[in-house]
Every structure is written in structure tokens, then in C-alpha cells.
Amino acid sequence: VHADPDLPGPALPFDPPRASIAVLPFANMSPDPENEYFADGISEELLDVLSDVDGLKVASRTSSFAFKGKDVNIGEVARTLGVAHVLEGSVRKQGDKLRITAQLIKADDGFHLWSETYDGDLADVFELQERIARAITDELKVVLDGGQQQRLVPVATRNTEAYALYLQATGIFNRRDAGRYPDAVTALEEALRLDPAYARAHSRLAALHAIRPSVDATI
């Protein structure tokens, strides 16, 4: 008996690595809708941190953020990105108060493996990210060794306003929003005025200056 070539074949089994995850853009639950950049920034920071964990496969930012603002099934997201788990959540920033809610979802059945709400001041932002990253690696049984046993999330700056400005500029940079590049440069320059030793702000500013000539030439 020959198979009919016009009929669809059997669905391929979905079997991604167990230690794999996609970080979806966190929802902005702040009273000010302009704080969306901060929620996006927290998502991106967690994604970057988890990407550095040995043995953990993390979907890229471009792939994960393609689902921003879309009402999609978690199983569909996981199958599209080839991951076994999905992290989603929300960020509420009001003044110096911060609340981050995160849920780790097992893609094959949609059940929550872990869910937690973290409250703190803006000054606690790196510690909150550290606690979330640790909870994820613990739940996925990722073995940490070397320096990863000490800390996953570095304290990039002690100046919370400089950090917020960095996230604002990073959002513009990641979206390649050329029309707002001057705003990103201004934000980073102010961040460096507040904390001249902020290495990541220096790096982001250098990257913006490097790509602006080619971008300006296309406008």
C-alpha cells in the first residue's frame, strides 16, 4: 500500500530539550503606560541572564518578542520556538516601588510549574531579577557551577535613575527606532552623568554611535 502524497503525514512529535525556555515580554501593569519600556527591559535582562547559564537553551529576543501584544496559546509559542518552558509575567512600577510577577509554564500541558510575586524598591531591581533567575534554574534543575554559584545578575549600577535611563535607551536600540536614536543618546549621556562608571551604558552608547551613520544615511 502506497501513501497518498496529497494527504498530510503524521504530526512530528514535539520533544524539545527539557532545559529550554522562552522569555515572553512582560506586561506593563504600571499606572503610566510610558513605563512599558521598563517592563520590556526587565524581560530582556532576564533573557540575557538566562542565556548565560550553561546547559540552558534560551530562545532569542527577536523570536520571543515577536509574540509581544499577541493573544497566543502557550503551547503554540513553545512549539514555534522549540522550547519546553515559557516564562511570562508583569511589571508594575509606581514611583520607587516595584512589583514583578513571574510564572514558569510547562508547555506540553500548560500547567504552572512555579509562580511568584516579588515586591521591592527600585533599588532592589537587581536582587529581584537574581531571585527570579535562581528560581527558574532551580525549577529546571539546571546545575550551576563556577561563578554562576555566586551570582547570576550583576549589580550594574547603584543609581536607579541611571538604570531606568539605560533600559529606555536599550528599548529604542533593540527596536532599531532610528527616529528616536537622539533620545537614546541623550538618555545614556544622562545615565553616565549620574554614574560615570556605568560600563553597560558606555557600551550601549558606543554601539549607538557606531550604527547611527549608516542609519542616518538611509533616512
Side-chain angles (χ1 to χ4, degrees), residues 3-75:
D4 187 337
D6 295 327
L7 293 176
L12 295 176
F14 178 54
D15 188 26
R18 183 185 179 281
S20 59
I21 189 171
V23 180
L24 296 185
F26 280 24
N28 174 36
M29 303 301 290
S30 307
D32 185 355
E34 293 297 320
N35 277 335
E36 185 170 353
Y37 79 88
F38 197 86
D40 285 349
I42 293 295
S43 313
E44 292 167 357
E45 295 276 272
L46 285 169
L47 191 155
D48 287 344
V49 167
L50 294 173
S51 296
D52 288 336
V53 174
D54 292 337
L56 181 60
K57 176 189 174 185
V58 182
S60 71
R61 178 202 177 276
T62 301
S63 299
S64 294
F65 270 66
F67 293 96
K68 180 177 171 65
K70 297 179 180 179
D71 184 16
V72 291
N73 178 273
I74 290 296

Side-chain angles (χ1 to χ4, degrees), residues 14 73-76 78 84-86 88 103-114:
F14 178 54
N73 178 273
I74 290 296
E76 178 186 341
H85 302 87
V86 174
E88 62 177 6
Q103 302 96 29
L104 183 65
I105 302 168
K106 190 167 178 282
D108 60 358
D109 57 19
F111 285 117
H112 285 67
L113 289 176
W114 158 84

Side-chain angles (χ1 to χ4, degrees), residues 86-128:
V86 174
L87 181 72
E88 62 177 6
S90 63
V91 177
R92 179 181 177 87
K93 178 179 176 289
Q94 189 166 15
D96 286 336
K97 297 299 181 182
L98 190 62
R99 167 171 286 186
I100 303 175
T101 300
Q103 302 96 29
L104 183 65
I105 302 168
K106 190 167 178 282
D108 60 358
D109 57 19
F111 285 117
H112 285 67
L113 289 176
W114 158 84
S115 180
E116 192 64 66
T117 295
Y118 301 87
D119 290 306
D121 294 327
L122 193 54
D124 303 321
V125 65
F126 297 114
E127 185 59 37
L128 298 181

Side-chain angles (χ1 to χ4, degrees), residues 25 36-48 60-66 68 163 165-181 184-185 188 200 203-205 207-208 211 215:
E36 185 170 353
Y37 79 88
F38 197 86
D40 285 349
I42 293 295
S43 313
E44 292 167 357
E45 295 276 272
L46 285 169
L47 191 155
D48 287 344
S60 71
R61 178 202 177 276
T62 301
S63 299
S64 294
F65 270 66
K68 180 177 171 65
Y163 181 64
L165 288 165
Y166 168 81
L167 291 184
Q168 188 174 349
T170 295
I172 295 171
F173 177 83
N174 285 337
R175 292 192 305 271
R176 296 298 189 265
D177 189 353
R180 295 195 60 202
Y181 277 3
V185 169
L188 290 168
R200 294 175 71 188
S203 176
R204 182 67 73 212
L205 184 59
L208 274 167
I211 67 174
V215 171

